[in-house]
Amino acid sequence: MSETSPPGIRPLRIVEGIVLCGIVSLLALLPPGLHFVTGPLSPIIGGFAAGAGLRLRATEALILGLVLGLLIGLPAPILLVELGILPHLATAALVFFSLLAAVYIGVFSMAGAYLGAQSGRRRPTA
């Protein structure tokens, strides 16, 4: 018989997961040269670390991905244009890239958190 966790969403775990995922994702961008590989994969790496470390539930992983997509993905292209890292873009292009970044970060963070949560659970011993 497998051990099941009680149902429900733990908001504090989600907030902790968002912070942990954000920190790990930023750290994945730092290593020179290596950041070309770890940078694009940083949402899934951060999500995995948060899911495994906090043993998130599937619903919590979904919420984590949605929140990160909205809080980081949507404003990221706008911020990069304002900082001068990206060239000035037409409004339609900026909206497109904001939506693309939100979906990318949201889906990969959610997938990483879900996979991390599944790997962080103990298998029942017989």
Short mmCIF file of all heavy atoms in Angstrom, two decimals, residues 16-88:
data_model
loop_
_atom_site.label_atom_id
_atom_site.label_comp_id
_atom_site.label_asym_id
_atom_site.label_seq_id
_atom_site.Cartn_x
_atom_site.Cartn_y
_atom_site.Cartn_z
N GLU A 16 7.92 29.33 -0.92
CA GLU A 16 9.29 28.84 -0.76
C GLU A 16 9.82 28.27 -2.08
O GLU A 16 10.98 28.48 -2.44
CB GLU A 16 9.35 27.76 0.32
CG GLU A 16 9.13 28.26 1.72
CD GLU A 16 8.99 27.13 2.73
OE1 GLU A 16 8.82 25.96 2.33
OE2 GLU A 16 9.07 27.42 3.93
N GLY A 17 8.96 27.56 -2.80
CA GLY A 17 9.35 26.99 -4.09
C GLY A 17 9.67 28.05 -5.12
O GLY A 17 10.61 27.92 -5.89
N ILE A 18 8.88 29.13 -5.13
CA ILE A 18 9.12 30.22 -6.07
C ILE A 18 10.47 30.87 -5.78
O ILE A 18 11.26 31.12 -6.70
CB ILE A 18 7.98 31.25 -6.00
CG1 ILE A 18 6.71 30.64 -6.60
CG2 ILE A 18 8.34 32.55 -6.69
CD1 ILE A 18 5.45 31.44 -6.32
N VAL A 19 10.75 31.11 -4.52
CA VAL A 19 12.04 31.72 -4.14
C VAL A 19 13.20 30.79 -4.49
O VAL A 19 14.19 31.21 -5.10
CB VAL A 19 12.04 32.09 -2.63
CG1 VAL A 19 13.43 32.52 -2.18
CG2 VAL A 19 11.03 33.17 -2.36
N LEU A 20 13.08 29.52 -4.12
CA LEU A 20 14.14 28.55 -4.40
C LEU A 20 14.36 28.39 -5.90
O LEU A 20 15.51 28.39 -6.38
CB LEU A 20 13.81 27.20 -3.76
CG LEU A 20 14.86 26.10 -3.93
CD1 LEU A 20 16.19 26.52 -3.33
CD2 LEU A 20 14.36 24.82 -3.29
N CYS A 21 13.29 28.28 -6.64
CA CYS A 21 13.39 28.14 -8.10
C CYS A 21 14.05 29.37 -8.72
O CYS A 21 14.91 29.25 -9.60
CB CYS A 21 12.00 27.91 -8.70
SG CYS A 21 12.01 27.62 -10.48
N GLY A 22 13.67 30.55 -8.26
CA GLY A 22 14.27 31.78 -8.77
C GLY A 22 15.75 31.87 -8.49
O GLY A 22 16.55 32.24 -9.35
N ILE A 23 16.15 31.50 -7.27
CA ILE A 23 17.57 31.57 -6.90
C ILE A 23 18.39 30.57 -7.72
O ILE A 23 19.44 30.92 -8.26
CB ILE A 23 17.75 31.33 -5.39
CG1 ILE A 23 17.19 32.52 -4.60
CG2 ILE A 23 19.21 31.09 -5.03
CD1 ILE A 23 17.10 32.29 -3.11
N VAL A 24 17.91 29.34 -7.80
CA VAL A 24 18.65 28.32 -8.56
C VAL A 24 18.71 28.70 -10.04
O VAL A 24 19.75 28.53 -10.69
CB VAL A 24 18.02 26.93 -8.36
CG1 VAL A 24 18.63 25.89 -9.28
CG2 VAL A 24 18.17 26.48 -6.91
N SER A 25 17.63 29.25 -10.58
CA SER A 25 17.62 29.66 -11.99
C SER A 25 18.63 30.77 -12.24
O SER A 25 19.33 30.77 -13.26
CB SER A 25 16.22 30.11 -12.40
OG SER A 25 15.31 29.05 -12.34
N LEU A 26 18.71 31.73 -11.32
CA LEU A 26 19.69 32.80 -11.48
C LEU A 26 21.12 32.28 -11.36
O LEU A 26 22.01 32.70 -12.10
CB LEU A 26 19.45 33.90 -10.46
CG LEU A 26 18.26 34.82 -10.72
CD1 LEU A 26 18.07 35.79 -9.57
CD2 LEU A 26 18.45 35.57 -12.03
N LEU A 27 21.34 31.35 -10.44
CA LEU A 27 22.68 30.76 -10.30
C LEU A 27 23.08 29.98 -11.54
O LEU A 27 24.27 29.89 -11.86
CB LEU A 27 22.73 29.85 -9.06
CG LEU A 27 22.68 30.57 -7.72
CD1 LEU A 27 22.62 29.56 -6.57
CD2 LEU A 27 23.87 31.50 -7.55
N ALA A 28 22.11 29.41 -12.24
CA ALA A 28 22.41 28.66 -13.47
C ALA A 28 22.86 29.58 -14.59
O ALA A 28 23.50 29.13 -15.54
CB ALA A 28 21.20 27.85 -13.91
N LEU A 29 22.56 30.87 -14.48
CA LEU A 29 22.97 31.83 -15.50
C LEU A 29 24.39 32.36 -15.29
O LEU A 29 24.96 32.96 -16.18
CB LEU A 29 22.01 33.02 -15.52
CG LEU A 29 20.60 32.74 -15.98
CD1 LEU A 29 19.72 33.97 -15.74
CD2 LEU A 29 20.57 32.36 -17.44
N LEU A 30 24.96 32.13 -14.12
CA LEU A 30 26.24 32.76 -13.77
C LEU A 30 27.50 32.16 -14.38
O LEU A 30 28.40 32.91 -14.75
CB LEU A 30 26.38 32.81 -12.24
CG LEU A 30 25.39 33.73 -11.52
CD1 LEU A 30 25.64 33.67 -10.03
CD2 LEU A 30 25.48 35.14 -12.03
N PRO A 31 27.65 30.84 -14.47
CA PRO A 31 28.96 30.32 -14.91
C PRO A 31 29.29 30.73 -16.36
O PRO A 31 28.53 30.42 -17.27
CB PRO A 31 28.80 28.80 -14.83
CG PRO A 31 27.55 28.54 -14.08
CD PRO A 31 26.73 29.77 -14.16
N PRO A 32 30.40 31.44 -16.55
CA PRO A 32 30.77 31.85 -17.90
C PRO A 32 30.98 30.63 -18.81
O PRO A 32 31.56 29.64 -18.40
CB PRO A 32 32.08 32.60 -17.72
CG PRO A 32 32.16 32.91 -16.26
CD PRO A 32 31.36 31.88 -15.56
N GLY A 33 30.51 30.73 -20.01
CA GLY A 33 30.65 29.65 -20.98
C GLY A 33 29.61 28.57 -20.77
O GLY A 33 28.90 28.19 -21.70
N LEU A 34 29.48 28.11 -19.55
CA LEU A 34 28.51 27.08 -19.23
C LEU A 34 27.07 27.62 -19.27
O LEU A 34 26.13 26.87 -19.47
CB LEU A 34 28.82 26.52 -17.84
CG LEU A 34 28.14 25.24 -17.41
CD1 LEU A 34 28.46 24.12 -18.39
CD2 LEU A 34 28.57 24.86 -16.02
N HIS A 35 26.93 28.94 -19.12
CA HIS A 35 25.60 29.53 -19.09
C HIS A 35 24.86 29.40 -20.42
O HIS A 35 23.65 29.55 -20.48
CB HIS A 35 25.65 30.99 -18.64
CG HIS A 35 26.20 31.92 -19.67
ND1 HIS A 35 27.55 32.07 -19.87
CD2 HIS A 35 25.59 32.74 -20.54
CE1 HIS A 35 27.74 32.96 -20.84
NE2 HIS A 35 26.57 33.38 -21.26
N PHE A 36 25.58 29.10 -21.50
CA PHE A 36 24.92 28.88 -22.79
C PHE A 36 24.07 27.61 -22.75
O PHE A 36 23.11 27.48 -23.51
CB PHE A 36 25.94 28.79 -23.93
CG PHE A 36 26.59 30.11 -24.24
CD1 PHE A 36 27.94 30.29 -24.00
CD2 PHE A 36 25.85 31.16 -24.74
CE1 PHE A 36 28.55 31.49 -24.27
CE2 PHE A 36 26.43 32.38 -25.01
CZ PHE A 36 27.80 32.55 -24.77
N VAL A 37 24.44 26.67 -21.90
CA VAL A 37 23.67 25.43 -21.74
C VAL A 37 22.72 25.55 -20.56
O VAL A 37 21.54 25.26 -20.66
CB VAL A 37 24.62 24.22 -21.55
CG1 VAL A 37 23.83 22.96 -21.26
CG2 VAL A 37 25.49 24.04 -22.77
N THR A 38 23.25 25.99 -19.41
CA THR A 38 22.43 26.04 -18.20
C THR A 38 21.41 27.18 -18.22
O THR A 38 20.38 27.08 -17.57
CB THR A 38 23.30 26.15 -16.94
OG1 THR A 38 24.09 27.34 -17.02
CG2 THR A 38 24.18 24.94 -16.76
N GLY A 39 21.68 28.23 -18.95
CA GLY A 39 20.76 29.36 -19.02
C GLY A 39 19.39 28.98 -19.57
O GLY A 39 18.37 29.20 -18.92
N PRO A 40 19.34 28.41 -20.79
CA PRO A 40 18.03 28.01 -21.32
C PRO A 40 17.35 26.92 -20.49
O PRO A 40 16.12 26.82 -20.49
CB PRO A 40 18.35 27.50 -22.72
CG PRO A 40 19.63 28.13 -23.08
CD PRO A 40 20.39 28.29 -21.79
N LEU A 41 18.13 26.11 -19.80
CA LEU A 41 17.55 25.05 -18.98
C LEU A 41 17.29 25.49 -17.54
O LEU A 41 16.80 24.69 -16.73
CB LEU A 41 18.49 23.84 -18.97
CG LEU A 41 18.72 23.16 -20.31
CD1 LEU A 41 19.74 22.05 -20.18
CD2 LEU A 41 17.42 22.63 -20.87
N SER A 42 17.59 26.73 -17.20
CA SER A 42 17.48 27.17 -15.82
C SER A 42 16.07 27.06 -15.23
O SER A 42 15.96 26.71 -14.05
CB SER A 42 18.03 28.59 -15.66
OG SER A 42 17.24 29.52 -16.36
N PRO A 43 14.98 27.29 -15.97
CA PRO A 43 13.67 27.09 -15.35
C PRO A 43 13.43 25.65 -14.92
O PRO A 43 12.88 25.40 -13.84
CB PRO A 43 12.67 27.51 -16.43
CG PRO A 43 13.43 28.41 -17.33
CD PRO A 43 14.84 27.90 -17.30
N ILE A 44 13.84 24.69 -15.73
CA ILE A 44 13.62 23.29 -15.36
C ILE A 44 14.57 22.86 -14.24
O ILE A 44 14.18 22.10 -13.36
CB ILE A 44 13.69 22.35 -16.58
CG1 ILE A 44 12.94 21.06 -16.29
CG2 ILE A 44 15.09 22.06 -17.01
CD1 ILE A 44 12.60 20.25 -17.50
N ILE A 45 15.79 23.39 -14.23
CA ILE A 45 16.74 23.08 -13.15
C ILE A 45 16.22 23.65 -11.83
O ILE A 45 16.20 22.97 -10.81
CB ILE A 45 18.14 23.62 -13.49
CG1 ILE A 45 18.72 22.90 -14.71
CG2 ILE A 45 19.08 23.48 -12.29
CD1 ILE A 45 19.97 23.56 -15.28
N GLY A 46 15.80 24.91 -11.85
CA GLY A 46 15.27 25.53 -10.65
C GLY A 46 13.99 24.87 -10.16
O GLY A 46 13.79 24.66 -8.96
N GLY A 47 13.11 24.54 -11.10
CA GLY A 47 11.88 23.85 -10.73
C GLY A 47 12.15 22.49 -10.12
O GLY A 47 11.51 22.10 -9.14
N PHE A 48 13.10 21.77 -10.70
CA PHE A 48 13.46 20.45 -10.16
C PHE A 48 13.98 20.57 -8.74
O PHE A 48 13.61 19.79 -7.86
CB PHE A 48 14.49 19.77 -11.06
CG PHE A 48 14.75 18.35 -10.69
CD1 PHE A 48 13.99 17.34 -11.24
CD2 PHE A 48 15.75 18.01 -9.79
CE1 PHE A 48 14.22 16.01 -10.90
CE2 PHE A 48 15.99 16.69 -9.44
CZ PHE A 48 15.22 15.68 -10.00
N ALA A 49 14.85 21.55 -8.50
CA ALA A 49 15.41 21.75 -7.16
C ALA A 49 14.30 22.09 -6.16
O ALA A 49 14.29 21.57 -5.04
CB ALA A 49 16.46 22.85 -7.18
N ALA A 50 13.37 22.94 -6.56
CA ALA A 50 12.27 23.32 -5.67
C ALA A 50 11.35 22.14 -5.42
O ALA A 50 10.94 21.89 -4.28
CB ALA A 50 11.49 24.48 -6.26
N GLY A 51 11.01 21.40 -6.46
CA GLY A 51 10.11 20.26 -6.31
C GLY A 51 10.70 19.16 -5.46
O GLY A 51 10.02 18.59 -4.60
N ALA A 52 11.97 18.86 -5.67
CA ALA A 52 12.62 17.79 -4.89
C ALA A 52 12.89 18.23 -3.46
O ALA A 52 12.68 17.48 -2.53
CB ALA A 52 13.91 17.37 -5.57
N GLY A 53 13.38 19.45 -3.31
CA GLY A 53 13.73 19.93 -1.98
C GLY A 53 12.53 20.13 -1.07
O GLY A 53 12.59 19.87 0.12
N LEU A 54 11.42 20.59 -1.65
CA LEU A 54 10.24 20.89 -0.84
C LEU A 54 9.15 19.83 -0.96
O LEU A 54 8.11 19.95 -0.32
CB LEU A 54 9.66 22.24 -1.25
CG LEU A 54 10.60 23.43 -1.06
CD1 LEU A 54 10.01 24.68 -1.67
CD2 LEU A 54 10.90 23.64 0.41
N ARG A 55 9.40 18.82 -1.80
CA ARG A 55 8.42 17.74 -2.04
C ARG A 55 7.04 18.31 -2.35
O ARG A 55 6.05 18.03 -1.66
CB ARG A 55 8.36 16.80 -0.86
CG ARG A 55 9.68 16.09 -0.67
CD ARG A 55 9.63 15.14 0.46
NE ARG A 55 10.98 14.59 0.63
CZ ARG A 55 11.20 13.39 1.04
NH1 ARG A 55 10.23 12.60 1.34
NH2 ARG A 55 12.43 12.96 1.17
N LEU A 56 7.00 19.13 -3.38
CA LEU A 56 5.75 19.77 -3.77
C LEU A 56 4.76 18.75 -4.30
O LEU A 56 5.14 17.72 -4.84
CB LEU A 56 6.01 20.83 -4.85
CG LEU A 56 6.89 22.01 -4.43
CD1 LEU A 56 7.11 22.92 -5.62
CD2 LEU A 56 6.26 22.77 -3.28
N ARG A 57 3.50 19.05 -4.18
CA ARG A 57 2.44 18.24 -4.76
C ARG A 57 2.23 18.69 -6.19
O ARG A 57 2.69 19.76 -6.60
CB ARG A 57 1.17 18.40 -3.95
CG ARG A 57 1.34 17.94 -2.52
CD ARG A 57 0.10 18.18 -1.70
NE ARG A 57 0.35 17.73 -0.33
CZ ARG A 57 -0.14 18.32 0.73
NH1 ARG A 57 -0.92 19.37 0.61
NH2 ARG A 57 0.14 17.87 1.93
N ALA A 58 1.52 17.90 -6.97
CA ALA A 58 1.31 18.21 -8.39
C ALA A 58 0.60 19.55 -8.55
O ALA A 58 0.97 20.35 -9.42
CB ALA A 58 0.51 17.09 -9.06
N THR A 59 -0.39 19.81 -7.73
CA THR A 59 -1.11 21.09 -7.81
C THR A 59 -0.20 22.25 -7.46
O THR A 59 -0.27 23.31 -8.08
CB THR A 59 -2.32 21.07 -6.86
OG1 THR A 59 -3.10 19.90 -7.12
CG2 THR A 59 -3.18 22.29 -7.04
N GLU A 60 0.66 22.05 -6.49
CA GLU A 60 1.59 23.10 -6.10
C GLU A 60 2.61 23.37 -7.21
O GLU A 60 2.99 24.52 -7.46
CB GLU A 60 2.29 22.72 -4.80
CG GLU A 60 1.35 22.67 -3.62
CD GLU A 60 1.92 22.01 -2.40
OE1 GLU A 60 2.95 21.31 -2.50
OE2 GLU A 60 1.33 22.19 -1.32
N ALA A 61 3.04 22.32 -7.91
CA ALA A 61 3.96 22.49 -9.04
C ALA A 61 3.29 23.28 -10.16
O ALA A 61 3.91 24.13 -10.79
CB ALA A 61 4.43 21.14 -9.55
N LEU A 62 2.01 23.02 -10.39
CA LEU A 62 1.25 23.75 -11.41
C LEU A 62 1.16 25.23 -11.05
O LEU A 62 1.42 26.10 -11.89
CB LEU A 62 -0.14 23.14 -11.56
CG LEU A 62 -1.10 23.90 -12.46
CD1 LEU A 62 -0.68 23.74 -13.91
CD2 LEU A 62 -2.52 23.41 -12.26
N ILE A 63 0.83 25.51 -9.80
CA ILE A 63 0.71 26.90 -9.36
C ILE A 63 2.07 27.59 -9.42
O ILE A 63 2.16 28.75 -9.85
CB ILE A 63 0.11 26.97 -7.94
CG1 ILE A 63 -1.33 26.47 -7.98
CG2 ILE A 63 0.18 28.37 -7.37
CD1 ILE A 63 -1.95 26.26 -6.63
N LEU A 64 3.13 26.89 -9.02
CA LEU A 64 4.48 27.45 -9.10
C LEU A 64 4.82 27.87 -10.53
O LEU A 64 5.31 28.97 -10.76
CB LEU A 64 5.50 26.43 -8.58
CG LEU A 64 6.95 26.87 -8.63
CD1 LEU A 64 7.60 26.66 -7.28
CD2 LEU A 64 7.71 26.08 -9.67
N GLY A 65 4.53 27.00 -11.48
CA GLY A 65 4.81 27.32 -12.88
C GLY A 65 4.00 28.50 -13.38
O GLY A 65 4.52 29.38 -14.09
N LEU A 66 2.72 28.57 -13.01
CA LEU A 66 1.88 29.68 -13.44
C LEU A 66 2.37 31.01 -12.86
O LEU A 66 2.47 32.01 -13.58
CB LEU A 66 0.43 29.45 -13.01
CG LEU A 66 -0.32 28.36 -13.75
CD1 LEU A 66 -1.68 28.10 -13.08
CD2 LEU A 66 -0.52 28.75 -15.20
N VAL A 67 2.71 31.00 -11.58
CA VAL A 67 3.16 32.23 -10.94
C VAL A 67 4.50 32.69 -11.52
O VAL A 67 4.68 33.88 -11.82
CB VAL A 67 3.26 32.04 -9.40
CG1 VAL A 67 3.95 33.21 -8.73
CG2 VAL A 67 1.86 31.85 -8.82
N LEU A 68 5.43 31.77 -11.70
CA LEU A 68 6.73 32.16 -12.27
C LEU A 68 6.59 32.66 -13.70
O LEU A 68 7.27 33.60 -14.10
CB LEU A 68 7.71 30.99 -12.19
CG LEU A 68 8.27 30.72 -10.81
CD1 LEU A 68 9.08 29.43 -10.82
CD2 LEU A 68 9.11 31.87 -10.34
N GLY A 69 5.72 32.03 -14.47
CA GLY A 69 5.48 32.50 -15.83
C GLY A 69 4.95 33.92 -15.86
O GLY A 69 5.38 34.75 -16.66
N LEU A 70 4.04 34.22 -14.94
CA LEU A 70 3.46 35.56 -14.90
C LEU A 70 4.39 36.60 -14.28
O LEU A 70 4.47 37.73 -14.77
CB LEU A 70 2.14 35.53 -14.11
CG LEU A 70 1.01 34.76 -14.76
CD1 LEU A 70 -0.19 34.68 -13.82
CD2 LEU A 70 0.60 35.39 -16.09
N LEU A 71 5.12 36.21 -13.23
CA LEU A 71 5.97 37.19 -12.54
C LEU A 71 7.33 37.40 -13.19
O LEU A 71 7.91 38.48 -13.05
CB LEU A 71 6.19 36.74 -11.08
CG LEU A 71 4.98 36.81 -10.16
CD1 LEU A 71 5.37 36.37 -8.75
CD2 LEU A 71 4.39 38.20 -10.14
N ILE A 72 7.85 36.38 -13.87
CA ILE A 72 9.17 36.51 -14.49
C ILE A 72 9.06 36.56 -16.00
O ILE A 72 9.68 37.39 -16.65
CB ILE A 72 10.10 35.37 -14.04
CG1 ILE A 72 10.36 35.46 -12.54
CG2 ILE A 72 11.42 35.42 -14.80
CD1 ILE A 72 11.15 34.32 -11.97
N GLY A 73 8.28 35.66 -16.58
CA GLY A 73 8.21 35.55 -18.03
C GLY A 73 7.61 36.75 -18.73
O GLY A 73 8.15 37.24 -19.71
N LEU A 74 6.48 37.23 -18.22
CA LEU A 74 5.83 38.37 -18.87
C LEU A 74 6.67 39.64 -18.85
O LEU A 74 6.85 40.28 -19.88
CB LEU A 74 4.45 38.63 -18.27
CG LEU A 74 3.31 37.76 -18.76
CD1 LEU A 74 2.02 38.13 -18.05
CD2 LEU A 74 3.13 37.84 -20.26
N PRO A 75 7.21 40.04 -17.70
CA PRO A 75 7.97 41.30 -17.69
C PRO A 75 9.41 41.20 -18.19
O PRO A 75 10.03 42.23 -18.44
CB PRO A 75 7.94 41.72 -16.22
CG PRO A 75 7.75 40.47 -15.47
CD PRO A 75 6.95 39.56 -16.35
N ALA A 76 9.95 40.00 -18.35
CA ALA A 76 11.38 39.86 -18.71
C ALA A 76 11.74 40.57 -20.02
O ALA A 76 12.70 41.36 -20.04
CB ALA A 76 11.77 38.39 -18.76
N PRO A 77 11.04 40.33 -21.14
CA PRO A 77 11.42 41.03 -22.37
C PRO A 77 11.29 42.55 -22.26
O PRO A 77 12.12 43.30 -22.79
CB PRO A 77 10.45 40.48 -23.42
CG PRO A 77 10.06 39.14 -22.90
CD PRO A 77 10.02 39.32 -21.41
N ILE A 78 10.27 43.02 -21.55
CA ILE A 78 10.09 44.46 -21.38
C ILE A 78 11.25 45.04 -20.58
O ILE A 78 11.81 46.08 -20.94
CB ILE A 78 8.74 44.74 -20.67
CG1 ILE A 78 7.59 44.23 -21.54
CG2 ILE A 78 8.58 46.21 -20.35
CD1 ILE A 78 6.26 44.13 -20.84
N LEU A 79 11.65 44.36 -19.52
CA LEU A 79 12.77 44.81 -18.71
C LEU A 79 14.08 44.80 -19.51
O LEU A 79 14.88 45.73 -19.41
CB LEU A 79 12.91 43.92 -17.47
CG LEU A 79 14.02 44.27 -16.49
CD1 LEU A 79 13.77 45.63 -15.87
CD2 LEU A 79 14.14 43.21 -15.42
N LEU A 80 14.29 43.77 -20.32
CA LEU A 80 15.51 43.69 -21.12
C LEU A 80 15.58 44.82 -22.16
O LEU A 80 16.66 45.34 -22.45
CB LEU A 80 15.60 42.33 -21.82
CG LEU A 80 15.83 41.14 -20.88
CD1 LEU A 80 15.77 39.84 -21.66
CD2 LEU A 80 17.15 41.28 -20.16
N VAL A 81 14.44 45.22 -22.71
CA VAL A 81 14.41 46.35 -23.64
C VAL A 81 14.70 47.65 -22.89
O VAL A 81 15.48 48.49 -23.36
CB VAL A 81 13.06 46.42 -24.38
CG1 VAL A 81 12.90 47.74 -25.12
CG2 VAL A 81 12.92 45.26 -25.36
N GLU A 82 14.09 47.82 -21.73
CA GLU A 82 14.29 49.04 -20.94
C GLU A 82 15.74 49.18 -20.46
O GLU A 82 16.25 50.29 -20.35
CB GLU A 82 13.34 49.08 -19.75
CG GLU A 82 11.89 49.27 -20.13
CD GLU A 82 11.63 50.58 -20.85
OE1 GLU A 82 12.22 51.61 -20.45
OE2 GLU A 82 10.86 50.56 -21.82
N LEU A 83 16.40 48.06 -20.18
CA LEU A 83 17.80 48.09 -19.74
C LEU A 83 18.77 48.23 -20.90
O LEU A 83 19.97 48.37 -20.69
CB LEU A 83 18.13 46.83 -18.94
CG LEU A 83 17.45 46.69 -17.58
CD1 LEU A 83 17.76 45.34 -16.96
CD2 LEU A 83 17.87 47.82 -16.65
N GLY A 84 18.27 48.15 -22.13
CA GLY A 84 19.11 48.29 -23.30
C GLY A 84 19.81 47.01 -23.71
O GLY A 84 20.70 47.03 -24.55
N ILE A 85 19.43 45.89 -23.12
CA ILE A 85 20.05 44.61 -23.47
C ILE A 85 19.49 44.11 -24.79
O ILE A 85 20.22 43.58 -25.62
CB ILE A 85 19.83 43.58 -22.34
CG1 ILE A 85 20.56 44.07 -21.08
CG2 ILE A 85 20.30 42.20 -22.74
CD1 ILE A 85 20.26 43.31 -19.83
N LEU A 86 18.20 44.30 -25.00
CA LEU A 86 17.57 44.00 -26.28
C LEU A 86 17.30 45.30 -27.02
O LEU A 86 17.07 46.33 -26.38
CB LEU A 86 16.22 43.28 -26.07
CG LEU A 86 16.25 41.84 -25.62
CD1 LEU A 86 14.83 41.32 -25.42
CD2 LEU A 86 16.97 40.96 -26.61
N PRO A 87 17.33 45.29 -28.35
CA PRO A 87 17.03 46.51 -29.08
C PRO A 87 15.54 46.87 -28.95
O PRO A 87 14.72 46.04 -28.55
CB PRO A 87 17.37 46.15 -30.54
CG PRO A 87 17.27 44.68 -30.59
CD PRO A 87 17.65 44.17 -29.23
N HIS A 88 15.21 48.09 -29.27
CA HIS A 88 13.81 48.54 -29.21
C HIS A 88 12.97 47.67 -30.14
O HIS A 88 13.34 47.46 -31.29
CB HIS A 88 13.71 50.01 -29.61
CG HIS A 88 12.30 50.51 -29.58
ND1 HIS A 88 11.63 50.70 -28.41
CD2 HIS A 88 11.45 50.83 -30.58
CE1 HIS A 88 10.41 51.13 -28.68
NE2 HIS A 88 10.28 51.21 -29.99
#
